[in-house]
Amino acid sequence: MAQDSQESQASTGAAPREGGTAGSHPGAIAQGLIRAGKVEAQHVLASAPTDRGLCHFRALGCQTTHSNQEVLQSCSLIIFATKPHVLPAVLAEVAPVVTAKHILVSLAAGVSLSVLEELLPTNAQVLRVSPSLPCVVQEGAIVMARGRHAGSSETKLLQNLLEACGQCEEVPEAYIDIHTGLSGSGVAFVCTFSEALAEGAIKMGMPSGLAHRIAAQTLLGTGKMLLQQGQHPAQLRTDVCTPGGTTIYGLHALEQGGLRAATMSAVEAATCRAKELGRK
C-alpha cells in the first residue's frame, strides 16, 4: 500500500485477494507469484498515489486503486512497500480498518517489528520481509521474521507464497538488515562485478555483447554450483586454481586491488544504512 506524495512500491498477497503498494521489489514479487501460478493477477490489488506507480501492475493484469483503505477492505494479506519514512503515515491511515483477519507484511528497510506493532492495533499479525530483485525471475533470496502475534500458519502461508519467487527462509529479525546489505543491495554489487568482468574482456579485444553475456552466464553457473553442490566458495575457488595457472594470477590481481575488503565493506555499509533508516 502506498500513501503520501512519493511513489511507493507495491505488491502482492494471498487468498482470497492480494494487496499492496507499487514498485521494484513488490513488482518483482507480484510478477514472480503470478508467473509461478501461486496467485491470479486479478486477485492482486495494488495501491499507489499516482497512476505512474501502478503501470507495471496494470500491465500484469492486476487490479489497482489509489486508496490504501480499499486494499485492506478487499484483501487479507497486505504487503506494505513504502519508503521507511513514509510507512508511519500509511499505517496511521489504515490502522482503523485493520482486523484480526489481516496478515500485515512490511518490506520497509530498517523498520523493526516492534515499531510496526506500536503503530498498528493490538495483536495485529505483523511480519517483516526482505526480498531481492531477482524475485522477478523466481530466483530471489528472501528472508522473513514474524512479530509477536503472527502464528505459524500465517508464517507458513507467506513462506509458501514467497518460495515461488526463489529461496525464502524464516530468520531472527536481527538478520533482516544484514540481508538488505547482502542480497538486497548485493544485486547492485554483483552487477558491478559482472560489468567489470566484461570490461576486462572488452579491454583484451572481445566484443561487448559477447563479453557481457559470458560474464552473466559465469555468475549464473557459479551460483548454481554453490547452491546445488553445497560447496563453500573457497573450495570451488580452489578447484579452479592450478599451480602457476591463469586463475591464481588473476586472483592475485584481485587481492592487490582489495576486492575482498571492498566487498565486505560494501555489505557493512549497506547494512548500517538499513539500520540508520529504521532509526530515522
Side-chain angles (χ1 to χ4, degrees), residues 5-179:
S5 59
Q6 304 196 27
E7 285 299 322
S8 274
Q9 323 255 314
S11 95
T12 47
R17 300 168 85 83
E18 285 65 45
T21 51
S24 58
H25 280 159
I29 291 175
Q31 189 166 327
L33 292 179
I34 292 167
R35 281 184 174 180
K38 289 287 188 177
V39 297
E40 296 181 11
Q42 63 267 30
H43 290 166
V44 176
L45 176 60
S47 70
T50 67
D51 287 339
R52 185 171 66 87
L54 296 171
C55 290
H56 178 69
F57 291 87
R58 290 172 179 166
L60 290 172
C62 304
Q63 298 185 67
T64 62
T65 179
H66 296 306
S67 169
N68 293 326
Q69 288 199 356
E70 181 183 348
V71 177
L72 270 83
Q73 291 164 349
S74 304
C75 308
S76 57
L77 175 60
I78 312 299
I79 297 181
F80 297 91
T82 69
K83 299 294 185 182
H85 69 280
V86 175
L87 186 57
V90 177
L91 296 181
E93 177 193 358
V94 303
V97 293
V98 170
T99 69
K101 75 171 186 176
H102 289 117
I103 303 171
L104 306 170
V105 181
S106 171
L107 304 187
V111 182
S112 69
L113 287 167
S114 62
V115 169
L116 294 170
E117 289 173 340
E118 286 175 8
L119 296 171
L120 288 164
T122 303
N123 299 330
Q125 300 180 93
V126 179
L127 298 100
R128 284 184 67 190
V129 168
S130 179
S132 62
L133 191 55
C135 288
V136 74
V137 292
Q138 297 170 253
E139 292 291 351
I142 309 162
V143 294
M144 54 186 288
R146 69 174 87 174
R148 291 177 298 164
H149 308 296
S152 58
S153 60
E154 290 78 20
T155 303
K156 288 178 180 177
L157 169 64
L158 181 61
Q159 186 170 18
N160 179 59
L161 283 170
L162 293 178
E163 282 177 346
C165 300
Q167 176 182 304
C168 180
E169 298 189 33
E170 184 178 2
V171 299
E173 186 182 14
Y175 295 176
I176 295 284
D177 290 335
I178 301 172
H179 178 270

Side-chain angles (χ1 to χ4, degrees), residues 157-212:
L157 169 64
L158 181 61
Q159 186 170 18
N160 179 59
L161 283 170
L162 293 178
E163 282 177 346
C165 300
Q167 176 182 304
C168 180
E169 298 189 33
E170 184 178 2
V171 299
E173 186 182 14
Y175 295 176
I176 295 284
D177 290 335
I178 301 172
H179 178 270
T180 299
L182 171 62
S183 186
S185 299
V187 172
F189 306 156
V190 171
C191 285
T192 300
F193 182 66
S194 180
E195 184 180 23
L197 275 179
E199 288 176 344
I202 295 166
K203 179 181 179 182
M204 300 311 296
M206 182 177 285
S208 177
L210 177 62
H212 283 288

